[in-house]
Every structure is written in C-alpha cells, then in structure tokens.
Amino acid sequence: WEFLNLFSRRGIEVYRPLAMVLAFFIPFAVMSSLEYLYFAVIVLAVFIYYFRRNCQNQAALGTAVTVLGMVYIVWFFSYLLKIRSLEQGPFWIFYTILIVKGGDAGAYFIGTKYGKVKLIESISPNKSWEGAWGGLVTTVILSLVSAIYLKGVSLVHLLILGIFIGVIAQLGDLIESLIKRNVGVKDSGNIPGLGGIFDVIDSLVLTMPFVYFYTTYMLGLS
C-alpha cells in the first residue's frame, strides 16, 4: 500500500484495492510453487483494470509499477515463509532479522559519529562510507556469533552469509531511498519514529530470498 501510494503521489494511476487483493494471495502461491503462474494472472488482471478506466494512456506504466511492488515487496518478503519451512527455520528467520537490523543499527551509530565521506549523496545524503563499513562489520560479527544457535553451520558459511547479507541489506536500503527521492518524500508512511513499514523492512526485502536460496543450495537444508 505504501509503495503504490508513493507513486500515486507522482500522478501515476494505480488501483490500490485491486493490488491489495491480488497481493494477499502471493504468499499462498509462493508456498505452493505457483508464483510464476500467479504473476501471469496478476499482470492480466491489472491490465484488464485499465480496460475499464479512462486512463489507458497510463496502462503500461501503472501495470509496471503495480507488478514491481508485488514482486519487490510481497513476493521477495514471502520467502520468509519458505525459510520458516526449512530445517531450523525459526532460527534462520531470527538470524536474518537479527543480523540485518543489527547491521542497520551499526551503520547508523558509526555513521552518525564518524561519517564524513558520503556514500551516494544524490540518493541518500545522510549515508556515509564509514557507516556502510560499520554496518557490514556489525553484520558479519553478528553472523559469526550466530553459530551459538545455528547448530552444524560452519563459521565459513556464516562468514560468507554475513558479507553478502551485509551488502545486500544496504543495497535494499539504498533502493528504497532512491524510490523515495524519485517521488520526493522522506518517509514511506506516517508511523511515529519509524516512518513507514517499507522503511522498516527495506533492508530485509532482498535478503529473504538470498538466505533461502543459500541455505537450500549451499547448505542443503530442506
């Protein structure tokens, strides 16, 4: 809802009620491995919506934005359910949230205190290279410490996971900053002290699929 609302502020015609109904069934499609078929249904349904409205000139753009929101936020984040179904699934969910949000905190505090060199000022003026490295180091440390409860997972795998997740999480944060800058807003929502839900999960969205595929194909979990 927040994602589509951001683009509707720029005058892009998106029908949020339809999108919310379609998005509701994505987790079920993901868990039944029918997500590709269901996304064909989504694209068709959204295009049909533009048949009935006097906004055909925005059909392609509106459909692209709507489907992007469903893929980027709902589909990717639905991999949390797939992680949950794995061996030690709840621990892997805890692990992912812990090291990602811990990395966010590390980036914030180190960046606030020591940040001088801007990371990508045109996208996010407050982010610095010092903060980015601080977040990465924090993520890697928390990943290695997680060997305490992730039984049977080697430190090598936790090191690799920590490095990749540390980078991917920050890329997710930058992507959301790019979107907000493009539409000219500071926060995705109006939750006091948090901004919006998208602001909270931005660094988790891309990490969920990565953790699932790494644990499945590299660690052999099922």
Side-chain angles (χ1 to χ4, degrees):
W1 185 272
E2 288 178 355
F3 181 90
L4 296 179
N5 186 53
L6 291 176
F7 285 93
S8 67
R9 294 183 182 184
R10 291 298 298 268
I12 298 175
E13 177 71 22
V14 290
Y15 188 52
R16 283 168 285 177
L18 173 62
M20 294 300 289
V21 171
L22 293 171
F24 176 81
F25 293 99
I26 291 177
F28 299 99
V30 168
M31 290 306 295
S32 59
S33 299
L34 295 173
E35 59 263 46
Y36 300 109
L37 174 62
Y38 186 62
F39 272 106
V41 173
I42 287 175
V43 173
L44 179 62
V46 176
F47 266 121
I48 289 175
Y49 159 75
Y50 287 98
F51 290 172
R52 302 177 59 189
R53 302 282 294 187
N54 296 321
C55 54
Q56 287 86 356
N57 60 322
Q58 289 198 5
L61 183 58
T63 300
V65 168
T66 303
V67 174
L68 173 62
M70 292 186 186
V71 171
Y72 185 68
I73 298 177
V74 189
W75 183 27
F76 287 176
F77 204 71
S78 291
Y79 273 87
L80 181 149
L81 299 175
K82 287 197 169 190
I83 296 173
R84 174 65 178 82
S85 67
L86 296 175
E87 180 184 347
Q88 299 190 73
F91 290 104
W92 280 107
I93 292 175
F94 174 77
Y95 163 84
T96 305
I97 296 174
L98 171 68
I99 71 170
V100 168
K101 303 315 290 184
D104 286 350
Y108 173 78
F109 288 113
I110 294 175
T112 300
K113 187 170 184 178
Y114 301 106
K116 294 181 180 179
V117 182
K118 299 299 182 181
L119 184 60
I120 307 180
E121 189 171 9
S122 59
I123 295 177
S124 184
N126 295 325
K127 290 183 175 60
S128 65
W129 278 103
E130 292 84 357
W133 280 108
L136 179 60
V137 171
T138 303
T139 302
V140 170
I141 291 173
L142 290 174
S143 181
L144 293 172
V145 171
S146 297
I148 297 172
Y149 57 87
L150 289 175
K151 305 301 181 181
V153 182
S154 71
L155 290 177
V156 173
H157 281 301
L158 291 176
L159 175 62
I160 295 172
L161 278 165
I163 293 172
F164 276 95
I165 291 174
V167 173
I168 293 171
Q170 294 192 54
L171 287 175
D173 195 353
L174 286 170
I175 289 171
E176 198 221 4
S177 295
L178 178 62
I179 292 172
K180 291 190 296 184
R181 197 154 183 91
N182 184 251
V183 299
V185 299
K186 183 177 184 295
D187 298 315
S188 64
N190 300 302
I191 302 174
L194 295 176
I197 295 175
F198 191 21
D199 292 315
V200 175
I201 69 169
D202 58 356
S203 53
L204 284 167
V205 170
L206 291 174
T207 58
M208 290 295 178
F210 174 77
V211 170
Y212 173 75
F213 284 108
Y214 190 95
T215 53
T216 301
Y217 294 102
M218 300 303 294
L219 299 182
L221 301 184
S222 61

